[in-house]
Amino acid sequence: MLHEIFDLFFPRLCLGCGHPLNDSEEFICEHCKYDMPFTNYHNVRDNPVEQCFWGKVPVERATSMLYYHKKGMVQSVIHSLKYRQCPEVGNYLGVMAAHCCGDFFSGLDYLMPVPLHKKKNRQRGYNQSRMIAEGIASVTDIAVSEDLKRIVYTATQTHKDKFERYENTLHSFCLENPQIYCGKHILLIDDVLTTGSTLESCAKAVLQVQPNVRISVFTLGYAK
């Protein structure tokens, strides 16, 4: 009875379409889940996500789970994670990714979310990439590392072009305890891949202090 009254005043709505969820649905309705634009890039070598890093940093493999379009369903879901105080959505999508892209996560030693600067982390209250990583870890049992740190506070990347994004993230990251990762395979995790500049900077920060490491990349969304 209390559950029904609560839903009357605070209905649970689909993050994709905004329609009410039924009791068996969580965050995203079955209709939207069916229509999710999966890339299936985890099954494709030399896919467009991998190509983002060609000639820039050595990446073992890379994929994004979903196509990301402005004003599209995936943007709505990810914006709920980043800007609407819904950290649990990251965990939900991470679990989805672990099941959807299963073999992609084999052979990894660490999941390494792209960090937020401590100032932005305080403002938001959580790191959305960390929430995604924890969702993946809950299925795969791969350790989550927080040794990658953002040491420079940068403005939002949303309205910057490719060169501005690269300059904005250059020298923004550092890896603590690099000796731990000698000979290991780490997966850098972020929410959306646009130009790849943030992930490129993260990879370079890792390789600068620990060249004997393999790096792969995963994001939820890929903005073509």
Side-chain angles (χ1 to χ4, degrees):
M1 183 65 178
L2 288 176
H3 175 73
E4 293 175 353
I5 293 173
F6 186 85
D7 281 350
L8 180 64
F9 290 99
F10 304 99
R12 298 183 313 116
L13 304 178
C14 172
L15 299 179
C17 65
H19 290 160
L21 297 170
N22 63 41
D23 289 343
S24 64
E25 295 171 336
E26 187 177 14
F27 302 118
I28 303 171
C29 70
E30 289 301 319
H31 178 77
C32 283
K33 285 175 70 174
Y34 180 82
D35 284 341
M36 282 187 125
F38 291 98
T39 67
N40 293 313
Y41 284 161
H42 60 285
N43 293 322
V44 181
R45 292 299 298 176
D46 300 335
N47 65 61
V49 178
E50 291 182 2
Q51 292 178 34
C52 284
F53 302 98
W54 285 0
K56 300 173 183 176
V57 288
V59 168
E60 292 280 315
R61 56 183 184 257
T63 194
S64 299
M65 182 170 69
L66 300 162
Y67 290 112
Y68 179 98
H69 302 287
K70 287 186 177 180
K71 299 183 180 179
M73 172 179 60
V74 175
Q75 184 189 58
S76 177
V77 173
I78 292 179
H79 275 203
S80 294
L81 166 62
K82 292 180 69 172
Y83 306 121
R84 299 173 193 154
Q85 290 297 305
C86 297
E88 61 277 10
V89 175
N91 191 277
Y92 173 83
L93 293 172
V95 170
M96 180 186 293
H99 290 297
C100 171
C101 310
D103 290 344
F104 179 83
F105 300 104
S106 64
L108 296 167
D109 296 297
Y110 291 97
L111 306 177
M112 191 171 284
V114 170
L116 294 179
H117 188 271
K118 57 184 179 182
K119 178 180 178 181
K120 186 171 287 187
N121 198 82
R122 283 197 302 268
Q123 292 171 345
R124 184 170 295 167
Y126 58 91
N127 175 5
Q128 72 275 6
S129 297
R130 166 79 195 209
M131 301 306 298
I132 298 164
E134 288 181 354
I136 295 170
S138 70
V139 177
T140 63
D141 290 326
I142 303 169
V144 177
S145 165
E146 289 192 287
D147 279 336
L148 186 63
K149 306 293 184 183
R150 188 185 288 260
I151 54 177
V152 177
Y153 182 81
T154 53
T156 179
Q157 301 268 70
T158 305
H159 302 295
K160 297 183 182 296
D161 62 25
K162 186 173 183 178
F163 181 73
E164 289 173 326
R165 285 171 183 261
Y166 179 74
E167 280 202 321
N168 203 36
T169 57
L170 193 63
H171 310 306
S172 292
F173 304 94
C174 72
L175 179 69
E176 297 180 348
N177 305 308
Q179 70 281 358
I180 294 174
Y181 304 99
C182 182
K184 302 299 185 182
H185 188 177
I186 67 172
L187 181 70
L188 294 174
I189 297 174
D190 206 0
D191 49 12
V192 178
L193 177 76
T194 48
T195 65
S197 57
T198 298
L199 287 157
E200 178 187 345
S201 296
C202 287
K204 286 179 176 179
V206 171
L207 292 168
Q208 183 178 13
V209 294
Q210 182 49 268
N212 187 22
V213 67
R214 293 183 294 153
I215 295 175
S216 289
V217 170
F218 173 83
T219 69
L220 289 178
Y222 170 59
K224 292 195 293 183

